[in-house]
Amino acid sequence: MLTEREAFHVRANYGAKLSMIDHWFGRLLDLFDLQNRADDTMLVVCTDQGHYLGERDIFGKPGVMQYEPMGHIPLLVAWPGRGAGTVDSLTTTVDIHATLCDIFGVT
């Protein structure tokens, strides 16, 4: 069990890591825009899994039950010719491969 101070430190470090990722991902998206890739390139963004930051007194990615913070991950798809929207479907990262195969006619 972490102390309150240790938990704060873990969350602060995780937040700093996410800030760095946001910065570099933003640079990648800037390049995407600069090169006008949105008109001819599909962009798929997801993560592998979440991370516990003290929910249910759990930290990290230990071998415990998969609660919402670990299993609820983003899946964003930008596809030329498709408008923005939200889909409330249950998916897993395994679905990405099958979906891309369907889109591009891979059997």
Side-chain angles (χ1 to χ4, degrees), residues 15-36:
K17 180 171 77 170
L18 291 180
S19 292
M20 181 193 67
I21 291 168
D22 285 349
H23 169 79
W24 288 107
F25 185 62
R27 298 273 308 264
L28 181 68
L29 292 178
D30 288 344
L31 261 172
F32 195 80
D33 289 342
L34 188 65
Q35 297 176 356
N36 296 317

Side-chain angles (χ1 to χ4, degrees), residues 55-72:
E55 299 84 2
R56 300 176 187 257
D57 293 325
I58 304 169
F59 283 87
K61 298 180 182 185
V64 298
M65 191 83 138
Q66 189 169 5
Y67 297 108
E68 195 270 342
M70 186 68 86
H72 189 186

